[in-house]
């Protein structure tokens, strides 16, 4: 049985996702745009409210992905 690797996201990526939701976009739509599970985004929002949102820095986010996320918002 092979172990799957967990995705790791930068703090910048997480904060951008939180900002999109804060700007009025739904959690489901934001998660779909960014290609991550709804529950993950929900956890980030909760951690952000509590002031404990951190980043890993090992999953690169291309400028194109960030631009697409901002345009779709």
């Amino acid at each position: 049985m092979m172990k799957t690797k967990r995705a790791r996201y930068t703090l910048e990526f997480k904060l951008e996702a939180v900002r999109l939701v804060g700007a009025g976009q739904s959690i489901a739509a934001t998660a779909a745009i960014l290609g991550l599970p709804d529950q993950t985004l929900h956890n980030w929002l909760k951690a952000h409210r509590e002031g404990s949102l951190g980043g890993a820095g090992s999953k690169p986010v291309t400028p194109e992905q960030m631009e697409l996320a901002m345009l779709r918002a």
Side-chain angles (χ1 to χ4, degrees):
M1 181 181 228
M2 208 163 83
K3 251 187 164 177
T4 59
K5 280 187 140 184
R6 293 171 74 183
R8 297 176 57 98
Y9 301 92
T10 63
L11 179 59
E12 178 185 46
F13 185 82
K14 292 177 180 183
L15 289 173
E16 180 63 19
V18 169
R19 187 194 66 78
L20 290 172
V21 173
Q25 192 165 340
S26 73
I27 292 174
T30 303
I33 289 168
L34 298 176
L36 50 100
D38 294 358
Q39 187 61 47
T40 299
L41 183 52
H42 180 74
N43 292 343
W44 293 351
L45 290 165
K46 181 179 177 188
H48 185 264
R49 281 192 302 269
E50 295 171 353
S52 62
L53 184 63
S58 68
K59 181 171 181 174
V61 179
T62 65
E64 291 82 17
Q65 289 174 317
M66 293 302 290
E67 184 179 352
L68 278 174
M70 287 187 282
L71 290 172
R72 289 179 179 161

